[in-house]
Amino acid sequence: MENPVTDIGKALNVQCVALRGIVSAVPDAVVGNAVFEEKFGAKAVAEISRMTGVQSRRVASANQTTADLAEAAARQLLQKLQWDSESVDAIVFVSQTPDYRLPATACALQARLQLPAHCAAFDINLGCSGYVYGLWVASKLIDGAGIRRVLLLAGDTSTKLVNPEDRATSMLFGDAGTATAIEFDETAAPSWYVLGTDGGGEKNLIFPRSQYRSALPAGEKLSAASPDHLYMDGAEVFNFTIRSVPPLINQVLRVSDKDISDLTYVLFHQANAFMLKHIAKKLSLRADQFPMNIDRFGNTSSASIPLLLASLGSEVRTANDVVLAGFGVGYSWAAVQLSLNGLEVCDLLEVKS
């Protein structure tokens, strides 16, 4: 007997919303795997690289933040689309590496980008699934709140969180910031979202140091992790991903009435190359349907999907049937089936440190 169809999240429909353009910005500093060999040994570095797929990553300088990268991306995007700043009704900043605990980084970016005072501005504290969640929130602002244009800024500078002595994280993550322009369009194809959460996985990918709550109650340990660095239980995160992502993709296909063969692309959060290939095999995806760029940029958290779009360039302008899927820290997951037809994807922007 076949297994029953199971839903992994809430399915939500969005109408009259179009993605107009994307710009991805990265630091100009490229750090290759060779720099880790003295600390971890060439054999260990080669093995980690084989599993994760990461050959190099972009690393922000000490004075360079996610907001700086996102601002540079937003400026180029507004210029490319010739959007008057007065026409932007909302700015949404998705990141787990904001400039400050408060105020919201979106508020600071509203001023830095000289957006109008009527512009709504707020942050979303999400990582791996954050870009798709951000698209959904921005789209619902347009679909249901009467807003016409939204700037979605998503990115992370996760290298600032990692322990340089922890090869599981120091060799995996990279930094990037992105900007996506979204607007009302009566002729836009509908999109379908599936969103879900399992907060029981909170301690398997966590930055323990907090202002208000310790992640290390009496008698509990997170391996040898320092509370001042990112901790990741790689095996648990891997198991969560393999268990959750295939049904996530299947559900979004079911609600959007698409077949896997209909899709031009399934663009995954760039978490780990071995993991993504395993998922693609389970879904019977062709190699050309799930491009990857983790080899050049590492895991860039909420920036990874738009950064992957930037890597594809003008090819996405004719992609009518695409699925974007983010998953990870939280645990949190989100996927969307949408059309990218006509999307303006600008060349990768390198920002000087």
Side-chain angles (χ1 to χ4, degrees):
M1 179 181 297
E2 292 185 0
N3 292 327
V5 174
T6 57
D7 289 345
I8 195 166
K10 184 74 172 179
L12 302 160
N13 182 243
V14 170
Q15 304 282 341
C16 303
V17 176
L19 276 63
R20 293 301 188 213
I22 290 178
V23 172
S24 293
V26 294
D28 63 350
V30 181
V31 176
N33 285 349
V35 302
F36 298 99
E37 292 182 357
E38 183 177 351
K39 182 174 296 184
F40 302 132
K43 184 176 180 180
V45 169
E47 178 62 17
I48 293 166
S49 178
R50 184 184 69 82
M51 292 297 293
T52 65
V54 183
Q55 299 291 332
S56 64
R57 72 284 296 146
R58 301 302 182 102
V59 176
S61 67
N63 297 319
Q64 193 174 48
T65 71
T66 306
D68 297 331
L69 298 172
E71 178 189 0
R75 289 188 183 280
Q76 180 166 307
L77 183 58
L78 290 170
Q79 181 179 17
K80 180 70 175 180
L81 297 179
Q82 296 185 331
W83 275 18
D84 187 329
S85 61
E86 287 291 321
S87 71
V88 178
D89 299 314
I91 179 171
V92 180
F93 180 73
V94 180
S95 182
Q96 296 193 311
T97 51
D99 276 6
Y100 310 105
R101 293 187 185 276
L102 60 89
T105 301
C107 294
L109 287 166
Q110 178 269 341
R112 288 162 63 172
L113 292 168
Q114 298 182 306
L115 301 180
H118 70 249
C119 181
F122 58 92
D123 290 2
I124 297 176
N125 178 17
L126 280 173
C128 312
S129 65
Y131 183 69
V132 180
Y133 264 92
L135 283 179
W136 172 65
V137 170
S139 296
K140 293 309 292 185
L141 289 174
I142 294 169
D143 185 22
I147 281 176
R148 306 286 293 191
R149 283 180 169 175
V150 179
L151 272 181
L152 172 63
L153 308 185
D156 280 287
T157 45
S158 300
T159 63
K160 296 178 183 294
L161 305 179
V162 302
N163 181 351
E165 304 299 323
D166 178 10
R167 62 189 185 187
T169 57
S170 63
M171 289 186 61
L172 177 62
F173 290 96
D175 301 329
T178 69
T180 304
I182 308 161
E183 72 174 346
F184 176 82
D185 182 348
E186 288 183 338
T187 67
S191 54
W192 282 94
Y193 288 79
V194 173
L195 312 169
T197 312
D198 174 11
E202 64 171 329
K203 291 192 175 76
N204 292 326
L205 185 49
I206 191 171
F207 186 77
R209 178 71 69 193
S210 170
Q211 187 69 31
Y212 307 111
R213 181 189 299 276
S214 171
L216 297 170
E220 185 174 346
K221 294 182 179 180
L222 291 177
S223 182
S226 161
D228 293 311
H229 294 113
L230 184 70
Y231 168 76
M232 181 175 68
D233 186 326
E236 287 296 326
V237 173
F238 181 89
N239 290 336
F240 149 73
T241 305
I242 297 302
R243 181 176 68 249
S244 303
V245 176
L248 172 65
I249 302 301
N250 288 330
Q251 185 182 354
V252 81
L253 288 173
R254 189 169 70 254
V255 298
S256 61
D257 196 26
K258 302 291 182 183
D259 186 85
I260 199 79
S261 62
D262 296 331
L263 301 178
T264 306
Y265 299 117
V266 178
L267 302 181
F268 294 113
H269 161 55
Q270 299 293 283
N272 174 298
F274 178 80
M275 181 190 300
L276 296 183
K277 289 176 182 178
H278 188 82
I279 293 168
K281 184 176 181 180
K282 291 187 73 172
L283 291 168
S284 299
L285 285 168
R286 303 186 310 273
D288 62 293
Q289 287 180 294
F290 70 105
M292 295 189 292
N293 66 357
I294 192 171
D295 58 324
R296 289 174 285 157
F297 300 107
N299 180 334
T300 56
S301 192
S302 61
S304 72
I305 293 174
L307 185 57
L308 184 57
L309 282 164
S311 300
L312 294 172
S314 60
E315 292 180 26
V316 304
R317 289 182 58 85
T318 57
N320 285 318
D321 293 312
V322 176
V323 167
L324 314 179
F327 41 86
V329 60
Y331 296 135
S332 174
W333 55 88
V336 58
Q337 187 280 318
L338 76 173
S339 171
L340 299 179
N341 190 30
L343 179 69
E344 188 70 47
V345 179
C346 302
D347 292 339
L348 183 69
L349 178 63
E350 292 189 328
V351 181
K352 290 187 177 180
S353 303

